[in-house]
Amino acid sequence: MKKSRFHSKTVRRHTGFVPLPSGEGAGVGKNRSGRSGLTPPLSPPLAGRGTRIGRPAVFLDRDGTLINERGYLSDPRKIVFYPGVFAALRRLRKAGYALVILTNQSGVARGYLTLEKLKAINRYFLRAFARRGVRIDGIYFCPHLPDARCACRKPKPTLALRAARDLGIDLKRSFVIGDQWTDMKLSANLGVPGVLVMTGAGRSVRRKAGPFAAKITSHLRTAVGWVLSRPRFR
Ligand SMILES: [Mg+2]
Ligand SMILES: [Zn+2]
């Protein structure tokens, strides 16, 4: 049942997706039809195009957006969540948004942490959120170097499009929240509004990232407030 959630081995080698182990409530083992297996086929995912079926999502950056930016995180004990993160994400869930973390983790390619370590950190993440009543639908990561010309590193839309396909997400009603230029450029590539937060690198990239942002705000909590203040159907 969980197996079918994964993409072909070839794809998985290049891009990470970490579902929560069954029984821990990540909700990634079943599709909306209630049957296990792949989500119903959607039209080919293209940047800027949504499928009217499916839920809206908020694509969340990790470092500098949800947690303190700490260089290349390799130890879950060093994770420090920003204040208000859990309550903010609970609000999004309540409003019907899927929650997807998209993260560039070049520390893997740089040898600062192994892929296994990163996956362990991701599992820790999902559990930490689940314990506080927040179900994260998926964590998608790029483990490659910035200059590796891979297909998945943000701001390329690949990870988001994969999540949209896996989880039945309606891109047209979705948002991106992040602290980097890459996050805002990603939002532009997807054709969805991006919210730049001033935590993490936010302040230092404001000039460069601002033009791609639909909204600039102080932190995740206010970003979520803005998302929820938008018209529900665009
Ligand atoms: Mg970041
Ligand atoms: Zn990549």
Side-chain angles (χ1 to χ4, degrees):
M1 145 180 160
K2 274 168 60 194
K3 214 181 205 166
S4 51
R5 266 287 155 190
F6 294 117
H7 316 295
S8 73
K9 284 201 168 67
T10 329
V11 172
R12 286 193 63 212
R13 258 212 311 278
H14 296 289
T15 312
F17 168 55
V18 178
L20 199 64
S22 59
E24 295 192 45
V28 291
K30 263 186 210 155
N31 63 27
R32 281 153 358 99
S33 70
R35 286 174 295 134
S36 59
L38 295 171
T39 47
L42 307 176
S43 53
L46 291 172
R49 276 179 52 185
T51 56
R52 270 289 164 183
I53 49 172
R55 328 170 262 172
V58 176
F59 296 107
L60 300 153
D61 171 54
R62 194 191 82 180
D63 303 347
T65 301
L66 300 176
I67 63 172
N68 268 350
E69 176 73 67
R70 288 263 172 120
Y72 300 100
L73 177 73
S74 60
D75 181 354
R77 286 170 302 185
K78 293 198 173 134
I79 293 175
V80 179
F81 291 94
Y82 286 131
V85 161
F86 299 108
L89 296 192
R90 275 198 298 270
R91 286 184 73 198
L92 286 176
R93 271 232 88 93
K94 214 173 229 175
Y97 286 95
L99 301 177
V100 181
I101 298 175
L102 305 179
T103 180
N104 287 342
Q105 294 297 326
S106 66
V108 174
R110 292 174 209 269
Y112 296 146
L113 74 166
T114 62
L115 200 54
E116 284 317 305
K117 192 85 192 173
L118 177 59
K119 287 178 178 173
I121 287 173
N122 288 342
R123 284 193 297 273
Y124 173 93
F125 247 86
L126 294 173
R127 278 197 301 271
F129 280 108
R131 266 202 305 274
R132 290 157 176 98
V134 183
R135 202 175 72 190
I136 301 291
D137 293 273
I139 301 178
Y140 291 72
F141 60 85
C142 163
H144 307 117
L145 290 171
D147 56 3
R149 295 167 171 265
C150 70
C152 49
R153 188 177 167 85
K154 295 186 288 185
K156 287 199 173 129
T158 313
L159 294 180
L161 293 176
R162 190 164 295 150
R165 191 186 54 206
D166 291 348
L167 304 168
I169 285 165
D170 179 4
L171 285 176
K172 278 206 170 78
R173 294 183 290 138
S174 297
F175 295 84
V176 171
I177 301 176
D179 71 312
Q180 284 279 8
W181 172 82
T182 46
D183 298 307
M184 296 306 102
K185 187 69 167 69
L186 165 71
S187 74
N189 289 341
L190 288 170
V192 312
V195 187
L196 181 68
V197 290
M198 292 293 102
T199 48
R203 247 170 247 290
S204 58
V205 302
R206 182 178 184 146
R207 190 183 293 262
K208 189 184 175 198
F212 297 103
K215 174 73 179 173
I216 299 174
T217 188
S218 54
H219 42 61
L220 183 79
R221 191 157 49 81
T222 50
V224 165
W226 184 81
V227 165
L228 293 175
S229 74
R230 297 294 90 196
R232 199 66 177 78
F233 297 98
R234 283 181 270 128

